[in-house]
Amino acid sequence: MRDTFRFPTTAAALGAVAVVVPLALTGCVAKDSAATTLAVTSTDTECNLDPTTAATGSVGFKVTNNGSKVTEFYVFEGSRVLGEVENIAPGVSGKLTVELVKPGTYEVACKPGMVGTGIRQTITVTGEEKTKNEAPADVEQAKKRYLAFVRQEVANLEAATVTFVDAIKRGDYDKARELFGPTRSYYERIEPVAESFSDLDPKIDMRWDDTADGTERFTGFHRIERYLWPPKADEIGDADGKVSPADAANAKKADTTEEIHKAADELLTNVRALKTEVDKPDFTFDTQLFVQGPKALIDEIAKTKVAGEEDRYSHTDLWDFAANVEGSQRLIGELQPIIKKRDPKLMETITKQFDEINAAIDKLREGTGYVSYDKVDEATRKALSAKIDALSATLSKVPAVVMSK
C-alpha cells in the first residue's frame, strides 16, 4: 500500500453491463501513432487482414466487426499476448496499436463470440529491430514493484492449488468446495498478466464456452467446479449464467472421479508452469498492460462475470469480483503517487469510487466469504453495475495521466 490509498478488504459484485465501446486492454501504445495500419475485417467465420505485412515499430490495427457476434482481436508473439481490443460489437470498429519492434512473423486472432482460441492469421514484419518507446521513470519503478506482487500472488496460487488438489484427490469434496473461491482469487487478482500467457490461461481458466460444445478438451478450475457442483435441472438453459444443455449432457458423461483427479493433476501442473514463467529473471510485461491494468481488471467483471456466467455451477462469482477489484486497487496503489502528482482530483475520484464499491460489497459478505451470487437480487446487481461502470470510466483516464512526461 502506498500513501493513503486503501487496499481492499472486500469484494465487488454487479449486474448487467451493456457492451458499449471497444476496449484496448493490453499491450498497445497510448496514442494512435502507428506508421502502418492494417485493416482487419472480422466476421463470424473469418478474420481477414489487408495488408498482411508491416515495418518494425508501432503497427496499427483497425478492426471492423462485420459479423453477428461481439468480437475481440489479439496480437501474439509466440504464446504471449502483445495487445488486444475487446468488446467490438457488430457493425462497430475498434483500434489497436502495438509495438512490433522485432522483424519476424506474428500471429493475430479474431475471436467472434469472445470464446475459444479464435480464428488465427499471421502477419510478417520486416525491417531493422527497434527499441520500444520509453515510459516515464516513475512508471517503470512502479511496474517493478508490481512485478514483485505478481510473483507473490502466483506463489500463493501454487500453494493454494496444492491444498485444493489434495482435497480432491482425498475425496474431501466439502473441503474442495470451501477452497474453490479463495484459491481462484489469487489468479483473478493478476488476471491481465496471467491472460497474457495464451497457452496457459485457457488450460487454467477456460469455461465450457471455450470448448466449442465439447470438441475441445475442458480443463482447469471450471472443469473441476462442474464436478463439485453438478448442474441441477433448474440451472440448465441457454440464458446467460445458465448451464447449456450440451454442457449438462457432457457433465453426465465425462465427470467421473478418474477424470476429475486427472484434471486436478493437470491444473497443478499448469499453475506450476505459470510460476516458472513469471519467476524467470527476464520475465516482464508490457508497460501499457500495467497502466491499463486497473481498468482491465474492472472490465473483466463486466465482460464475463456480470450475469454469473464465470462460476455458473458454484455461484461463487463474488469471490472473483472481489479479487478483480482488489487487483485493480493494488495497481492503482502502485500508481497513486504518480496520479496524485499529475492529477490530484482524478486520484480523489478514484479513491471515492473504490470506497463506494467496497461499502456496497461489504453488505454481501456472509461468514468468511460471500453470499451465493444467485441469491443477489437484480436491484442490487444493477446498483453495483452502475458503480463499476462509473469506476471504469474514471480509470480509463489513468494511462494518459501516468504516461505523460
Side-chain angles (χ1 to χ4, degrees):
M1 180 186 298
R2 302 186 62 79
D3 292 350
T4 57
F5 190 77
R6 181 169 74 91
F7 281 117
T9 57
T10 184
L14 59 157
V17 176
V19 173
V20 180
V21 293
L23 304 170
L25 295 179
T26 67
C28 61
V29 295
K31 298 179 180 179
D32 186 10
S33 56
T36 304
T37 297
L38 281 62
V40 182
T41 303
S42 175
T43 70
D44 293 348
T45 57
E46 296 182 329
C47 182
N48 296 316
L49 289 89
D50 183 26
T52 57
T53 60
T56 51
S58 295
V59 178
F61 298 88
K62 182 180 180 182
V63 187
T64 301
N65 185 0
N66 285 345
S68 63
K69 304 173 183 176
V70 176
T71 194
E72 299 173 335
F73 178 75
Y74 292 79
V75 179
F76 302 94
E77 182 179 27
S79 62
R80 295 293 304 277
V81 177
L82 294 180
E84 63 178 286
V85 56
E86 300 183 333
N87 293 347
I88 309 173
V92 173
S93 295
K95 291 183 178 179
L96 173 70
T97 303
V98 181
E99 288 188 283
L100 303 180
V101 296
K102 298 178 181 177
T105 300
Y106 294 81
E107 195 167 46
V108 301
C110 300
K111 194 183 287 188
M114 301 194 297
V115 297
T117 58
I119 304 167
R120 304 282 177 130
Q121 299 287 1
T122 58
I123 61 172
T124 301
V125 175
T126 59
E128 295 182 356
E129 183 171 341
K130 297 182 177 178
T131 57
K132 289 194 174 185
N133 294 323
E134 291 186 2
D138 49 4
V139 174
E140 289 296 337
Q141 288 301 315
K143 180 180 162 185
K144 288 180 181 177
R145 293 193 298 270
Y146 181 67
L147 175 57
F149 169 73
V150 169
R151 284 175 169 150
Q152 183 59 57
E153 282 299 288
V154 175
N156 292 338
L157 172 66
E158 181 196 27
T161 304
V162 167
T163 306
F164 176 61
V165 167
D166 178 67
I168 293 167
K169 299 293 285 288
R170 288 186 287 104
D172 189 350
Y173 300 135
D174 285 339
K175 188 65 177 177
R177 282 187 278 267
E178 177 186 326
L179 294 172
F180 179 77
T183 302
R184 280 180 46 74
S185 293
Y186 296 111
Y187 194 83
E188 294 289 330
R189 287 191 193 99
I190 58 164
E191 200 158 22
V193 175
E195 285 184 342
S196 72
F197 292 92
S198 65
D199 52 347
L200 292 173
D201 177 59
K203 293 177 181 176
I204 294 171
D205 201 37
M206 75 185 308
R207 295 179 293 158
W208 169 260
D209 313 80
D210 299 312
T211 70
D213 273 346
T215 57
E216 296 183 20
R217 192 155 178 272
F218 192 16
T219 64
F221 278 113
H222 297 301
R223 175 73 175 85
I224 298 168
E225 177 196 5
R226 192 178 70 175
Y227 179 79
L228 294 173
W229 286 273
K232 301 173 184 175
D234 63 352
E235 297 174 330
I236 299 171
D238 293 320
D240 288 341
K242 290 287 187 181
V243 178
S244 73
D247 187 1
N250 183 267
K252 280 190 175 182
K253 180 178 66 176
D255 285 358
T256 64
T257 300
E258 181 182 4
E259 285 297 318
I260 293 307
H261 285 193
K262 183 179 176 182
D265 287 336
E266 290 175 341
L267 173 65
L268 183 55
T269 297
N270 290 321
V271 166
R272 283 177 167 159
L274 177 64
K275 184 174 185 302
T276 297
E277 291 297 323
V278 302
D279 283 346
K280 289 180 177 176
D282 62 348
F283 171 73
T284 188
F285 46 85
D286 194 279
T287 300
Q288 288 297 324
L289 184 152
F290 173 58
V291 300
Q292 296 181 18
K295 175 175 165 55
L297 276 159
I298 292 302
D299 289 339
E300 277 290 335
I301 304 171
K303 175 187 168 189
T304 63
K305 301 178 175 76
V306 291
E309 62 265 46
E310 179 79 9
D311 298 313
R312 67 193 66 175
Y313 315 109
S314 63
H315 307 299
T316 56
D317 305 80
L318 288 170
W319 283 96
D320 292 356
F321 297 172
N324 285 157
V325 172
E326 289 165 6
S328 179
Q329 285 191 263
R330 178 73 197 200
L331 281 157
I332 288 296
E334 297 295 355
L335 294 168
Q336 182 197 13
I338 307 169
I339 302 171
K340 195 173 181 180
K341 178 181 177 182
R342 297 173 186 165
D343 191 339
K345 288 188 177 180
L346 176 62
M347 191 63 238
E348 289 177 11
T349 302
I350 291 171
T351 302
K352 179 174 179 290
Q353 289 179 331
F354 269 120
D355 285 346
E356 289 174 350
I357 289 173
N358 288 331
I361 297 306
D362 278 345
K363 297 178 181 178
L364 296 173
R365 281 188 173 276
E366 184 176 78
T368 59
Y370 304 90
V371 300
S372 180
Y373 192 57
D374 60 340
K375 306 300 181 187
V376 178
D377 62 54
E378 194 61 27
T380 301
R381 293 186 183 195
K382 287 183 177 179
L384 287 167
S385 174
K387 295 181 190 302
I388 289 291
D389 280 351
L391 176 60
S392 176
T394 302
L395 294 176
S396 70
K397 302 173 183 176
V398 169
V401 169
V402 301
M403 294 296 280
S404 62
K405 297 181 180 178

